[in-house]
Amino acid sequence: MGDVNKLREEFVRECKGLSSLKQLNDLRIRYLGKKGLLTQRLKALSALSPAERPAAGKEINILKRYVEAEIKRLEGELSSLESRKKVATESIDITLPGKYIPAGSRHPVNRVLDEIVDIFLFMGFTVEEGPEVELDHYNFEALNIPRDHPARDMQDTFYVKTDGERQSSSSTGDGGDKREAETDVVLRTHTSPVQIRVMEKQKPPLRFIAPGKVYRCDSDVSHTPMFHQVEGLMVGEDITFSHVKSVLKLFVHSLFSVDTPVRFRPSYFPFTEPSAEIDIGCVLCKGAGCRVCKGTGWIEVLGAGMVHPKVFEGVGYDTEKYTGFAFGMGVERLTMLKYGIDDIRLFYENDLRFLRQF
Ligand code: PHE
């Protein structure tokens, strides 16, 4: 009995000295653990006589419940004390930079391409596609580009060798040219072949654009071997040159601003007649003359014209009934103008310092 009282006093004293949860846990083990002081006392009961046992057992059990309750209470007290201490000593530096989450962004050329497509969708055009590896027939012949046209010269066109031929890689020079429009394969040099492919399958009226990659054997500050064009074609009854003017003016004014000057200049393309090149007032110097517009105040952005009757004949369209216009533009050029970029090669160097600006 006296022993139990002493044990209680000792426990109470030990509780007063506690300052951490770790110490409390050690205390718990010392009293209530498998070999703990109270556990030992309970085991020792069996050695007592049956007469002494109930009273002694009761005493120990009362102490045990007290010890358990106290430990629980102290646990709550100490844990809130510890968290308050932690908050008081811990400091949060709100000036530390946050975690950097790298975000991707759209390539500037794709951005402008999307804008161009949206403008024409708004005008009721649909979007068509054609192959980048193209037959000579579609890229040249069907577009009324004669064999001796400079656009077919090797320095512009990438020829793709086909089976069992192309020992000689030169298409120029008299007599040595064995190329056949039907079997020769090229990387398309413009998106115009899509005009032919669509007209072969669809009857007028039609109104579509054909965006895509094109390839030319050329490389400097304003040329890359691969670049993007958007072709356009509209065919129907009573289509006139005034449609060309209104559609392309509306396009330029939508892509740039409504006050951008637009001018149509007579030009030549084998597949359109009459043909025009369309200039816009230089967006960089506002027409005053700068390096980009070579001091002229104007920049060429589009080629266009009324579809040549020979092209219609080739796809079996009735040239008496139908007329149409076609146009083509370079997307990189337009992107350079929109963002004031002066070297086309920046688009394809994949320098993140450049790309991250968009
Ligand atoms: N295909 C021409 C080029 O690449 C552009 C063009 C398209 C001109 C349609 C007139 C009509 O230069």
Side-chain angles (χ1 to χ4, degrees):
M1 199 61 116
D3 175 55
V4 173
N5 275 335
K6 254 172 78 187
L7 197 58
R8 177 193 297 263
E9 279 163 25
E10 196 185 318
F11 175 74
V12 171
R13 195 166 358 99
E14 282 197 80
C15 283
K16 288 199 177 117
L18 288 180
S19 60
S20 74
L21 284 167
K22 163 89 178 63
Q23 288 171 349
L24 179 67
N25 195 43
D26 292 344
L27 185 75
R28 187 182 58 76
I29 291 164
R30 220 147 61 70
Y31 281 83
L32 303 170
K34 252 192 204 152
K35 290 177 182 159
L37 295 167
L38 280 165
T39 319
Q40 271 173 12
R41 299 273 187 312
L42 281 166
K43 273 185 191 155
L45 285 174
S46 57
L48 295 178
S49 69
E52 296 171 303
R53 224 176 274 157
K58 196 178 166 192
E59 280 297 311
I60 297 168
N61 273 312
I62 288 171
L63 178 58
K64 193 185 175 199
R65 276 197 294 275
Y66 170 73
V67 167
E68 284 168 344
E70 273 299 282
I71 287 177
K72 201 157 184 191
R73 187 181 65 78
L74 286 166
E75 198 172 63
E77 237 172 55
L78 287 169
S79 73
S80 77
L81 185 78
E82 282 189 5
S83 49
R84 263 182 284 138
K85 237 196 245 167
K86 198 175 166 200
V87 171
T89 54
E90 207 176 53
S91 63
I92 295 169
D93 183 354
I94 57 161
T95 66
L96 277 175
K99 266 196 185 143
Y100 172 65
I101 301 164
S105 59
R106 287 186 70 58
H107 192 280
V109 169
N110 281 329
R111 268 175 186 256
V112 173
L113 191 54
D114 284 354
E115 260 186 74
I116 295 169
V117 170
D118 278 349
I119 293 167
F120 284 103
L121 288 178
F122 172 76
M123 288 195 256
F125 283 68
T126 57
V127 177
E128 299 285 347
E129 273 178 55
E132 289 169 27
V133 181
E134 185 56 285
L135 287 171
D136 180 292
H137 171 76
Y138 289 103
N139 196 78
F140 296 123
E141 212 73 19
L143 288 161
N144 191 34
I145 301 177
R147 297 251 99 189
D148 53 3
H149 193 278
R152 304 183 61 134
D153 200 283
M154 274 304 287
Q155 46 174 288
D156 290 322
T157 309
F158 286 112
Y159 280 89
V160 178
K161 289 183 182 181
T162 50
D163 288 350
E165 51 173 3
R166 305 294 81 91
Q167 293 309 325
S168 140
S169 61
S170 169
S171 71
T172 52
D174 34 16
D177 188 1
K178 298 252 164 46
R179 294 191 175 276
E180 295 292 338
E182 289 72 28
T183 55
D184 267 354
V185 179
V186 301
L187 295 187
R188 66 180 179 191
T189 57
H190 52 179
T191 41
S192 301
V194 187
Q195 289 185 34
I196 309 299
R197 287 185 174 271
V198 172
M199 285 193 286
E200 278 181 350
K201 289 203 200 85
Q202 295 178 31
K203 295 283 151 251
L206 45 89
R207 180 169 40 163
F208 68 87
I209 55 166
K213 291 180 165 66
V214 300
Y215 302 84
R216 286 183 201 176
C217 207
D218 219 346
S219 191
D220 60 45
V221 281
S222 51
H223 298 89
T224 46
M226 182 282 298
F227 61 102
H228 295 78
Q229 282 190 335
V230 176
E231 192 78 12
L233 181 67
M234 181 166 180
V235 182
E237 292 175 45
D238 306 320
I239 301 284
T240 69
F241 202 84
S242 38
H243 292 104
V244 186
K245 290 196 81 172
S246 58
V247 166
L248 296 182
K249 257 188 170 171
L250 182 54
F251 165 70
V252 167
H253 289 163
S254 307
L255 188 65
F256 293 98
S257 61
V258 280
D259 54 3
T260 306
V262 181
R263 105 182 156 179
F264 286 69
R265 222 173 355 92
S267 188
Y268 171 77
F269 297 104
F271 38 93
T272 48
E273 182 60 36
S275 302
E277 277 177 322
I278 291 96
D279 301 334
I280 62 170
C282 182
V283 289
L284 300 170
C285 64
K286 301 280 172 221
C290 67
R291 196 168 64 91
V292 175
C293 61
K294 298 190 183 84
T296 63
W298 294 94
I299 295 177
E300 184 225 315
V301 291
L302 284 143
M306 301 305 292
V307 179
H308 197 293
K310 276 199 181 163
V311 173
F312 278 159
E313 277 163 20
V315 294
Y317 277 14
D318 182 350
T319 54
E320 291 301 310
K321 192 169 173 199
Y322 298 113
T323 50
F325 70 87
F327 57 88
M329 65 187 94
V331 184
E332 278 78 357
R333 164 77 69 93
L334 291 166
T335 309
M336 288 167 81
L337 293 173
K338 260 202 95 122
Y339 293 117
I341 297 162
D342 62 5
D343 187 339
I344 193 175
R345 293 170 296 197
L346 284 167
F347 290 134
Y348 301 111
E349 279 166 358
N350 290 331
D351 186 331
L352 290 176
R353 291 170 302 179
F354 172 75
L355 296 174
R356 283 204 178 112
Q357 295 176 49
F358 300 91

